[in-house]
Amino acid sequence: MSDGASATGDLRDTSLDGPTLNVRLSRVWGTPRGLLGALTTVDHKIIGRRYIVTAFLFLFLGGITALVMRLQLAQPESGLVGPDTYNQLFTMHGSTMMFLFGVPIGEAMAVYLVPLMVGTRNIAFPRLNAFSYWVYLSGGLFLWISFLLNIGPDVGWFAYVPLSGPEYSPGKRADVWAQMITFTELSGLAVAIEIIVTVLKQRAPGMTLDRVPLFVWALFVNSFIIIFALPAVMIASTFLILDRLVGTHLFNPAEGGDALLYQHLFWFFGHPEVYIIFLPGTAFVSAIIPTFARREIFGYLALVLSLIATGFLSFGLWVHHMFVTGLPQLGAAFFTASSMLIAIPNGLQIFCWIATLWDGRPVWRTPLLFVAGFFFIFVAGGLSGIMLASVPIDTQVHDTYFVVAHFHYVLIGGNVFPLLGAIYYWFPKFTGRLLSERLGRWNFWLAFIGFNVAFFPMHISGLMGMPRRVYTYGPEMGWGDLQLLSTAGALLLFASFVLFVWNVAASLRRGDVAGPNPWNAGTLEWATASPPPPHNFNRIPLVTHREPLWAERGGLPVVTGLSVSHRELMVSSVAEAEPQLRETSPAPSIWPLVAAIAVGATFIGSIFTPYAVLWGALPVAAALTGWFWPKAMPEDEE
Amino acid sequence: MAGLTVATGVVVLVLTGLSYAGQRRLLGEEAAPVTIRVIGHQWWWEVQYEDPQPSRGFTTANEIHVPVGVPVQVKLESTDVIHSFWVPSLMGKQDLIPGRPSAIRFTAERPGVYRGQCAEFCGMQHAKMGLLVIAEEQADFARWRDGQVAPRPEPASDEARAGEAAFVAAPCSMCHQVRGTAAAGRNGPELTHVGSRRTLAAGTLPTSRGNLAAWIVDPHGIKPGVNMPLVKLDSDQLNSISAYLAGLK
Amino acid sequence: MSSLLTRGLPSAGLYAGPMAWLVSTQANYALAAWSCSYQFPVIPLLAAVLAAVSLAGGVSSWRAYRQPLPADTTTVPAPDGSQVATLDGPEGGRPHRMIAAIGVLVALLFAVVIAVHGVAGLVFTGCER
């Protein structure tokens, strides 16, 4: 690679140094200011921040629906909300938490952090990234605006047929649910593809597969799960819309359809879905523990193995959601086997993490507190999960509050606690300021106590025979005291989130200023400024170790030769990350937004008439034509 | 590390084996002398007792009696959406899925009154779709069964007779059957011996003359969204019909 | 082809194990009703075959693990310049060996899961509902 400008005026970074390089790269990679810049940006950090904030907004909305439900159930025969409202509330709660928060937040953190951790300048397919955010936002708004206009869905987050079918759910409510699925799954698939390509082909030179951070491995495996699971629910929801709108009878037993087909399609997605929500939690834990244990992770190979095994096994569990549907016992037994045996890779992960802390010199800052909370809560949830895997036990506790307790333990324990720890950990990187440690401790303890007071009694409520999805219950059932206790815990848990938002708001303005690496961590995102410049790194690092910043304390070796006159990043080989190509990266573009609007209008229109698909294809095609219109690129000379 | 993993594996394999053993014991095939068909509706349970002699079969609603110590087979079907039959103290649950009939077996070991509730979200009044299973000694069960097979008892008072006439003339007879009268509707619960049941509206209200009246006057106040329409009756009709129904023991 | 058999393929276990298990899950579920009708232990037999497939993949991964591949030398020297780094050491740089080790363990795990499916086929006749 030659120094200085070549014949076509392409200036390389070899000759430039320090501030000059930073300024020139910031100009090339930066997003224009103002509204137009905001609408056209393809910077993964800006889009990632938007994703995170939007997902947290949906977390709050979902939390408010939960609070209303808990207030209703605090007393028997409460008249706070009627059955119609309650049915909408639990549908909105589940749908928001699972589709608008649980999956997107993992993708959000991946979009922001994976390119930084693998040492590249932007995520793969940056315009697709922008497009996926707009589609996600549209889907979420579509659901919530419908709810506020009293045409929100009321058939549960899973929307079983025949209840959600044309005969028993007239109107547009179930169609809103089904089409929201289409929005969010399109968005999820897009991000999954970007992550896989980024991780396989854009790693910094020297970052062989066994030097890839576990955070990245977890989100990489997660992306494969997303790609294979999401199509199943898209098919289920599309078939539902076809039955409702076009008059097919895919799920109508009177005309040769099968109501159980829906459940198979839904749960083939539904079980991997909960692992899609859990795996980012493992990513956060695997990143936080080495930093706060002050040693590299114990059992890297075992952890990668666990991630891969969990990813595959998660596809073999789905019938355990259908144990009481009258299927042959032999068939159910296969799924008991896989549901029980998945505890092996999950347990292996826990052992490795605990061993790292045991063998390290732990520093109990807030991120590590939340990880400790994760250990307790997730493992407790795993134990109730083992119980549920057994058919005889499940026939009693299926569809009771025992299951509600179980999945809140594994999802809040496995995703939300690590997520809060992750925000405390990476907030200085995102914003340049540290969150308050004092408020963080209050946040943690309030959340931990509130969570357990809210959800532990539900195990007992379920064992006392309380079914799910009931808007009220009689005083003679004896469930009232425990329900009141759960409500008290829920209020505490909600308060902890209010405290979290307070901490964020206050720290944004008055938090301690953070340098590039306030935690003395080892991975690449801490090698650049806080917050990172638009181009992430002045020069692409050369990686020789799993924890590059710990191995090269004197300063990272770097690769030189990338262009400074246009957006360029490095493409490398899959296993050994040998440099292969200098690849041009797209500049800001309006087409992702335009395409998202066209796609969104088509989706929304198609719940009213199938012709919307036909007519909508025209603006979508126009937008895609604009998007892919070839640009004249300066050809490489060597 | 390898040791811990192998230990986890062994524990999990043992639990799997125990689970299989439990499955076989609880859910295997066995003959059942008493067979009942339960058909789920939005938001009540139609109960049909089968008998080798067709004339000894009968239909009731929301309350099941079984003899103690005898295996009972319950065939499960649904006419509308998915429901789930569950009496926690007696057996695990199983879904009633339209187009997919299935069956469940249980044996009540001790006499008693056992409450059950629908355990699969089935719409607006899923929360109030309860049922009772009453396990009693063989002799009591046989007596109850004979009583249910018989047509309705003759109305005992003038008020009850007026009530029967009003019932048959009013829209009630379009949905409800009372064997021994002209009322032969099959849309709603069978009412031939409604007075003998302990609860009304699928476990929502204790049976009494007053509660029967309350239900007829305002079904949507008690169970918003039920399929039973509001039937306007004047106070005489209401009094006589509720007296009549309360007497249908 | 034969050199591939002797050399082994690091990812063989990663392909064979999960694929055999996926086939096992789907085929078993479909065969549950068949085995009730014909009262023939097709499921344990299928499980034995598929577990063998998984283990064969594991054997191929094991062979690859034992033989250091030329491509497995690091693209840059490890900090201390040595080539005898342990498999799990934090300096990394031996991705094919890691994939091979994972291939062996994944093949083993899935062989166990397939075997438990087979045991279910011995415990149940397929006619229980």
Side-chain angles (χ1 to χ4, degrees):
Chain A
M1 300 186 183
S2 66
D3 293 35
S6 65
T8 56
D10 175 28
L11 182 64
R12 306 288 185 85
D13 64 11
T14 322
S15 53
L16 300 178
D17 216 336
T20 327
L21 190 55
N22 197 11
V23 165
R24 292 200 70 133
L25 283 170
S26 296
R27 210 179 320 135
V28 168
W29 284 88
T31 296
R33 301 187 72 85
L35 181 64
L36 192 62
L39 295 177
T40 59
T41 186
V42 291
D43 184 336
H44 74 101
K45 299 180 292 299
I46 298 178
I47 295 171
R49 254 196 342 250
R50 278 181 197 162
Y51 253 114
I52 293 172
V53 169
T54 309
F56 266 94
L57 182 69
F58 285 122
L59 174 66
F60 268 88
L61 288 174
I64 290 172
T65 53
L67 216 51
V68 178
M69 286 159 59
R70 280 265 43 97
L71 288 170
Q72 162 72 6
L73 290 175
Q75 292 169 320
E77 312 241 304
S78 168
L80 184 68
V81 294
D84 187 32
T85 307
Y86 189 88
N87 295 345
Q88 288 182 65
L89 283 171
F90 75 71
T91 304
M92 290 301 292
H93 173 73
S95 302
T96 301
M97 292 304 198
M98 299 299 275
F99 295 114
L100 300 178
F101 166 73
V103 171
I105 192 63
E107 303 209 292
M109 299 291 275
V111 161
Y112 194 109
L113 289 165
V114 166
L116 285 163
M117 272 200 199
V118 299
T120 187
R121 291 237 161 98
N122 204 352
I123 202 167
F125 310 124
R127 288 170 299 181
L128 184 64
N129 194 213
F131 170 80
S132 73
Y133 173 75
W134 298 121
V135 171
Y136 159 60
L137 179 67
S138 311
L141 286 175
F142 177 52
L143 180 72
W144 273 88
I145 291 176
S146 300
F147 173 60
L148 295 170
L149 292 177
N150 202 25
I151 50 166
D154 58 352
V155 286
W157 84 280
F158 51 97
Y160 277 177
V161 295
L163 181 63
S164 61
E167 208 180 328
Y168 299 101
S169 275
K172 289 299 167 198
R173 292 181 167 200
D175 300 292
V176 167
W177 176 87
Q179 207 59 299
M180 175 275 296
I181 301 267
T182 313
F183 275 102
T184 53
E185 310 311 23
L186 177 62
S187 166
L189 282 169
V191 173
I193 292 171
E194 295 151 25
I195 299 288
I196 289 175
V197 175
T198 308
V199 171
L200 285 180
K201 294 301 291 180
Q202 282 184 209
R203 303 197 308 278
M207 187 183 276
T208 56
L209 280 178
D210 59 347
R211 290 178 180 150
V212 168
L214 283 163
F215 178 94
V216 175
W217 265 113
L219 291 161
F220 174 67
V221 170
N222 202 35
S223 300
F224 276 101
I225 302 179
I226 288 174
I227 286 180
F228 287 102
L230 262 51
V233 74
M234 284 180 95
I235 291 176
S237 66
T238 303
F239 280 3
L240 178 64
I241 294 183
L242 286 174
D243 267 18
R244 291 174 59 86
L245 187 64
V246 171
T248 53
H249 295 282
L250 292 148
F251 301 128
N252 180 5
E255 295 285 345
D258 189 343
L260 213 56
L261 173 65
Y262 180 90
Q263 293 192 29
H264 279 291
L265 284 169
F266 184 84
W267 289 115
F268 186 81
F269 149 82
H271 195 80
E273 153 86 345
V274 306
Y275 285 91
I276 293 170
I277 296 180
F278 171 56
L279 250 57
T282 69
F284 304 149
V285 170
S286 292
I288 291 172
I289 285 188
T291 303
F292 290 89
R294 296 185 282 177
R295 60 152 283 160
E296 72 258 356
I297 200 88
F298 179 88
Y300 178 90
L301 178 86
L303 285 162
V304 175
L305 168 70
S306 300
L307 289 168
I308 293 176
T310 302
F312 280 115
L313 275 175
S314 68
F315 281 92
L317 274 57
W318 84 89
V319 176
H320 73 214
H321 299 270
M322 299 163 62
F323 275 163
V324 298
T325 54
L327 299 169
Q329 294 300 316
L330 174 56
F334 301 130
F335 293 88
T336 295
S338 297
S339 303
M340 294 264 197
L341 288 166
I342 203 168
I344 297 178
N346 284 349
L348 186 55
Q349 285 179 304
I350 307 268
F351 300 144
C352 289
W353 288 322
I354 293 182
T356 309
L357 284 170
W358 195 271
D359 222 30
R361 301 166 295 141
V363 179
W364 290 100
R365 293 278 142 73
T366 306
L368 195 60
L369 284 179
F370 276 105
V371 167
F374 150 78
F375 282 135
F376 279 102
I377 298 176
F378 179 75
V379 171
L383 294 175
S384 60
I386 291 282
M387 292 172 66
L388 288 164
S390 160
V391 173
I393 297 180
D394 189 61
T395 61
Q396 277 290 0
V397 293
H398 170 76
D399 242 308
T400 69
Y401 267 78
F402 187 89
V403 178
V404 176
H406 160 71
F407 65 69
H408 283 94
Y409 267 79
V410 285
L411 290 176
I412 296 184
N415 175 294
V416 178
F417 270 70
L419 172 68
L420 291 171
I423 298 292
Y424 276 87
Y425 184 53
W426 276 297
F427 191 82
K429 180 54 56 181
F430 296 159
T431 64
R433 291 187 183 268
L434 286 149
L435 284 168
S436 157
E437 188 58 30
R438 198 180 57 89
L439 286 178
R441 287 181 190 287
W442 275 94
N443 189 177
F444 168 71
W445 285 108
L446 209 52
F448 186 77
I449 292 171
F451 171 82
N452 281 293
V453 171
F455 289 99
F456 192 82
M458 290 188 188
H459 291 105
I460 305 174
S461 294
L463 290 171
M464 287 174 74
M466 182 169 180
R468 291 172 72 173
R469 305 172 180 134
V470 290
Y471 73 98
T472 190
Y473 52 93
E476 71 281 3
M477 300 311 300
W479 301 331
D481 291 339
L482 287 174
Q483 289 294 305
L484 187 60
L485 187 59
S486 285
T487 301
L491 287 164
L492 279 179
L493 183 60
F494 194 82
S496 80
F497 277 94
V498 173
L499 188 59
F500 172 74
V501 174
W502 178 282
N503 197 352
V504 168
S507 303
L508 273 174
R509 270 167 304 165
R510 293 175 317 194
D512 295 338
V513 172
N517 194 358
W519 307 115
N520 194 20
T523 43
L524 284 177
E525 77 273 25
W526 303 105
T528 186
S530 299
H535 50 282
N536 292 352
F537 303 96
N538 284 346
R539 291 201 176 85
I540 303 296
L542 182 69
V543 173
T544 59
H545 196 276
R546 262 174 220 152
E547 305 275 2
L549 271 62
W550 289 350
E552 312 274 2
R553 297 238 175 227
L556 283 176
V558 294
V559 177
T560 63
L562 284 184
S563 169
V564 185
S565 353
H566 64 273
R567 296 179 171 222
E568 199 168 72
L569 43 77
M570 188 123 248
V571 167
S572 53
S573 69
V574 170
E576 298 101 4
E578 279 178 32
Q580 290 179 322
L581 291 174
R582 290 177 293 125
E583 172 87 0
T584 311
S585 187
S589 162
I590 195 66
W591 293 110
L593 175 62
V594 172
I597 292 173
V599 163
T602 307
F603 285 168
I604 295 177
S606 65
I607 70 169
F608 296 100
T609 164
Y611 284 102
V613 178
L614 187 65
W615 293 115
L618 297 171
V620 171
L624 290 177
T625 306
W627 184 328
F628 288 111
W629 197 265
K631 293 181 184 44
M633 291 292 187
E635 287 294 328
D636 288 337
E637 290 183 357
E638 55 239 305
Chain B
M1 194 56 50
L4 274 174
T5 311
V6 169
T8 310
V10 167
V11 166
V12 152
L13 286 171
V14 167
L15 290 174
T16 307
L18 288 172
S19 174
Y20 286 173
Q23 255 181 293
R24 257 183 75 156
R25 209 175 75 75
L26 286 170
L27 301 159
E29 311 161 71
E30 55 181 57
V34 178
T35 58
I36 305 172
R37 270 176 84 203
V38 169
I39 302 165
H41 297 260
Q42 274 177 319
W43 301 286
W44 58 281
W45 307 91
E46 180 181 341
V47 178
Q48 294 179 4
Y49 276 75
E50 297 182 334
D51 193 285
Q53 276 182 290
S55 61
R56 283 197 54 79
F58 63 92
T59 303
T60 178
N62 301 323
E63 188 172 291
I64 295 174
H65 288 237
V66 295
V68 170
V70 173
V72 174
Q73 184 191 53
V74 183
K75 299 182 187 172
L76 303 168
E77 301 165 29
S78 170
T79 57
D80 44 31
V81 300
I82 299 179
H83 302 274
S84 193
F85 182 82
W86 186 37
V87 185
S89 303
L90 288 178
M91 89 292 283
K93 64 184 65 70
Q94 189 149 314
D95 288 352
L96 288 66
I97 303 177
R100 296 183 72 105
S102 65
I104 198 173
R105 275 160 299 278
F106 72 95
T107 306
E109 301 291 351
R110 277 184 294 276
V113 178
Y114 302 96
R115 190 179 181 281
Q117 190 164 339
C118 175
E120 180 58 60
F121 180 63
C122 52
M124 190 79 75
Q125 285 300 326
H126 165 64
K128 294 190 178 176
M129 186 170 161
L131 74 150
L132 288 180
V133 174
I134 297 165
E136 42 198 6
E137 301 299 338
Q138 274 280 25
D140 294 325
F141 172 71
R143 199 175 16 254
W144 173 83
R145 193 168 183 161
D146 291 337
Q148 294 289 313
V149 171
R152 63 90 177 94
E154 285 288 332
S157 63
D158 289 333
E159 192 185 29
R161 266 185 289 278
E164 179 164 279
F167 182 89
V168 171
C172 318
S173 58
M174 293 175 65
C175 291
H176 293 287
Q177 175 173 41
V178 178
R179 281 175 280 124
T181 72
R186 303 299 293 270
N187 293 321
E190 226 257 14
L191 295 181
T192 309
H193 297 283
V194 60
S196 72
R197 296 184 218 148
R198 292 165 202 234
T199 62
L200 299 173
T204 308
L205 297 165
T207 305
S208 71
R209 181 179 163 166
N211 280 339
L212 280 160
W215 174 252
I216 295 168
V217 153
D218 188 18
H220 292 264
I222 296 168
K223 272 175 92 164
V226 279
N227 292 323
M228 173 157 158
L230 181 62
V231 176
K232 291 234 177 259
L233 303 169
D234 63 45
S235 56
D236 285 336
Q237 287 172 307
L238 182 65
N239 281 329
S240 60
I241 287 179
S242 46
Y244 167 64
L245 292 174
L248 288 180
K249 293 198 191 292
Chain C
M1 185 66 192
S2 67
S3 68
L4 187 71
L5 285 171
T6 44
R7 253 189 308 131
L9 182 67
S11 50
L14 265 176
Y15 290 120
M19 285 267 58
W21 167 78
L22 280 167
V23 171
S24 166
T25 302
Q26 286 297 131
N28 285 353
Y29 196 76
L31 287 169
W34 188 93
S35 103
C36 171
S37 310
Y38 290 87
Q39 287 300 313
F40 180 76
V42 61
I43 283 162
L45 283 173
L46 187 62
V49 168
L50 290 169
V53 168
S54 178
L55 289 172
V59 164
S60 180
S61 286
W62 175 249
R63 289 216 174 108
Y65 179 78
R66 301 283 293 170
Q67 304 201 11
L69 289 173
D72 217 4
T73 53
T74 56
T75 54
V76 284
D80 66 348
S82 69
Q83 294 283 54
V84 290
T86 59
L87 174 70
D88 212 12
E91 54 285 336
R94 312 178 81 199
H96 296 286
R97 203 144 184 272
M98 179 184 80
I99 297 291
I102 291 177
V104 172
L105 294 168
V106 160
L108 267 173
L109 174 66
F110 282 94
V112 169
V113 182
I114 292 168
V116 180
H117 283 183
V119 165
L122 290 170
V123 170
F124 298 95
T125 64
C127 301
E128 304 92 343
R129 277 195 163 263

